[in-house]
Amino acid sequence: MATKARSAPSEGEALGGVTLVLGPEDLLVDRAVAAAVASVRASDPDADLTELEAASLAPGALAELTSPSLFASARAVVVRGLDTLPAEAADAVLSYAKDPQPDVALVLTHRGGQKGRGLLDKLRKARVRVVACEALKSYELPTFVIREARGAGGRISEEAAQLLIESVGSDLRALAGAASQLISDAGGVITEEAIRAYFAGRAEVTSFAVADAAVTGRTAHALEQLRWALRSGVAPVLVTSALASGLRGLAKLAGAPRGLRDGDLAREIGVPPWKVKTLRGQLRGWSQEGLATAIQAVARADADVKGGADDADYALERAVLAVSRARSEG
């Protein structure tokens, strides 16, 4: 019977077993490994710790690493990158997982994917503890930011969390660091004003400002934001990316099944629940034909700024005007 994914082990729980940390999200993987080691150290503060890459694990090395220590009653062995494990060492890992030492915690990490999938399936059947560290979907990121803020002793609203994501990007380590820093600097509450002040001039913020103005028909403001962005050195491709992202969200909302609750609708579109209200407001004045026209105009601009035209600035201005015109015609 396969073991279901679980959270990181609590005090002493990792000892006497194998923890498989599975997934590509590096920050979550590092935290899960740290939690497993902390679990061992909580049971025995003097526990030995050995970390190595799976690619360097020879068949007989695991038995040596997990044998009783003369200097500590407990030990943790962390083997990273199980997907790079030499084929000749796989049997040794599986054999150990079926009969682990009581005073040893073996922690294995694997990024997911098909490489080494056979060994993963066998480890699950051996009833190892699995900690899932899957990549978060875009609509899950605000919840992650809110939890990070809470963990740092502060708080942040969903709207401010989304603005932080637009400012920093989707990398979890960068988001966690930004949330922690803002909590420290802002006195416990991260506001949208604090984020704008802290990340003033960041390319992603400026690009989304252009897109938001364009899709809501504020042509003059969109052009003003665009010219400021270009003077500030924002890459044109970031602007077309923001425009495309905004229009795709509207198109998904327009084509979503009728009668869905906001939570279900958010999952259907791939956005956080609070964003549904924003998209509804932006969708007013748009038709399906208008959205299709605008998306095509942005696609042309994207090709232009990537080398298809001599004047990227002009291509972007033309795209902003085309988006605004497509909305008014809708």
Side-chain angles (χ1 to χ4, degrees), residues 118-313:
L119 177 59
L120 291 183
D121 292 341
K122 291 175 182 177
L123 286 171
R124 286 192 179 98
K125 290 178 181 178
R127 302 180 68 82
V128 303
R129 178 186 298 105
V130 178
V131 181
C133 299
E134 298 299 327
L136 299 187
K137 295 180 174 60
S138 58
Y139 66 84
E140 296 175 310
L141 290 175
T143 300
F144 171 81
V145 172
I146 290 169
R147 288 175 178 166
E148 287 297 307
R150 190 178 298 131
R155 54 191 173 88
I156 185 173
S157 68
E158 283 196 59
E159 292 82 357
Q162 183 62 35
L163 180 60
L164 185 61
I165 293 161
E166 292 172 0
S167 304
V168 175
S170 59
D171 181 77
L172 296 193
R173 202 179 298 278
L175 284 171
S180 177
Q181 186 63 51
L182 281 164
I183 288 294
S184 175
D185 293 350
V189 180
I190 304 176
T191 63
E192 293 179 59
E193 292 73 18
I195 294 169
R196 289 192 181 97
Y198 199 86
F199 293 100
R202 282 293 294 264
E204 295 86 348
V205 177
T206 307
S207 301
F208 278 100
V210 175
D212 285 345
V215 299
T216 52
R218 294 175 289 144
T219 309
H221 184 62
L223 289 173
E224 178 186 349
Q225 290 290 313
L226 174 62
R227 288 160 189 158
W228 186 90
L230 295 174
R231 285 197 303 270
S232 302
V234 174
V237 69
L238 290 178
V239 179
T240 55
S241 176
L243 284 166
S245 176
L247 290 168
R248 280 197 302 268
L250 294 180
K252 287 180 180 179
L253 176 60
R258 302 284 182 180
L260 291 179
R261 293 178 297 182
D262 280 3
D264 296 329
L265 187 57
R267 283 189 291 274
E268 179 78 18
I269 300 171
V271 298
W274 69 266
K275 187 74 171 178
V276 172
K277 182 179 179 181
T278 301
L279 288 174
R280 282 200 183 104
Q282 292 178 340
L283 189 59
R284 296 189 188 99
W286 282 99
S287 66
Q288 290 281 12
E289 295 77 12
L291 283 169
T293 298
I295 289 171
Q296 290 171 1
V298 172
R300 284 194 298 272
D302 190 58
D304 287 343
V305 302
K306 290 177 179 176
D310 294 332
D311 192 339
D313 293 6

Side-chain angles (χ1 to χ4, degrees), residues 24-98:
E25 203 60 77
D26 290 339
L27 174 66
L28 302 184
V29 168
D30 288 346
R31 287 179 174 179
V33 170
V37 173
S39 168
V40 176
R41 290 267 166 82
S43 177
D44 182 357
D46 298 321
D48 284 343
L49 170 63
T50 303
E51 292 197 53
L52 71 157
E53 295 294 325
S56 65
L57 188 66
L62 186 63
E64 182 179 347
L65 291 170
T66 55
S67 61
S69 170
L70 296 175
F71 306 102
S73 59
R75 64 192 317 178
V77 178
V78 179
V79 180
R80 293 183 180 269
L82 201 61
D83 44 306
T84 66
L85 183 75
E88 59 271 19
D91 287 344
V93 171
L94 183 60
S95 176
Y96 179 85
K98 292 177 179 178

